Amino acid sequence: MRTQIGIGALLLVAGLGCNQNHMGLAADSQLAAVAPAGGSIGVMVTTKVTLQFTHAMRQGMEQYIAVHEGPVTGPLVAGAWSWSSDRRTLRLAPARPLAPLTLYTIHVGGGMQDTQNHMMGLDRNGMGMGGQWLSSAMMGSNTGMMGAGWQHANGSYGMVFTFTTE
């Protein structure tokens, strides 16, 4: 005997699958986009670093995102962080234009939380956007970025995305 399923039922089942993980728990928040993407070359020196999340993020989570001149052990780029009204987009407006022909590193902490206290994940999209997991060996003496808000469940200290200016 054949059973036919209407398209509406199929879409309902597909939609439920998108909102739950394989264990049936509520899906965690994810980093949805980062600009400039990891590995970008020729980025304008006037660019704003932008991160987008799949869910609204908690107050203060911007303290777990840093932009370094050079590698993750390099100096921090001064500037002002600002959230969109829905707290799903975070932008850094650098205090001065970025230096030309220079490597920059965006460091996204792996222990960030959304407004529902779910941990923010980097595992679904991060590497596809040019990200690389950050080990303690890569941190060098930069131990100020190794606390709870920085550490991911996989033991890394978040993810880094590098880009080079024009």
Side-chain angles (χ1 to χ4, degrees), residues 93-118:
R96 59 179 175 79
L98 302 175
L101 301 173
T102 301
L103 174 76
Y104 285 89
T105 303
I106 304 167
H107 178 190
V108 180
M112 296 172 58
Q113 295 180 347
D114 68 16
T115 56
Q116 302 299 312
N117 297 322
H118 298 127

Side-chain angles (χ1 to χ4, degrees), residues 4-18:
Q4 291 185 341
I5 298 175
I7 190 73
L10 186 60
L11 290 174
L12 176 64
V13 171
L16 289 173
C18 291

Side-chain angles (χ1 to χ4, degrees), residues 17-62:
C18 291
N19 290 325
Q20 294 184 351
N21 63 24
H22 65 281
M23 294 172 38
L25 303 173
D28 60 352
S29 294
Q30 292 286 321
L31 179 63
V34 61
S40 295
I41 297 172
V43 173
M44 294 177 54
V45 296
T46 57
T47 197
K48 292 182 179 180
V49 173
T50 304
L51 300 127
Q52 293 181 328
F53 302 91
T54 58
H55 294 88
M57 300 303 288
R58 284 182 59 187
Q59 290 276 107
M61 290 297 106
E62 64 277 3

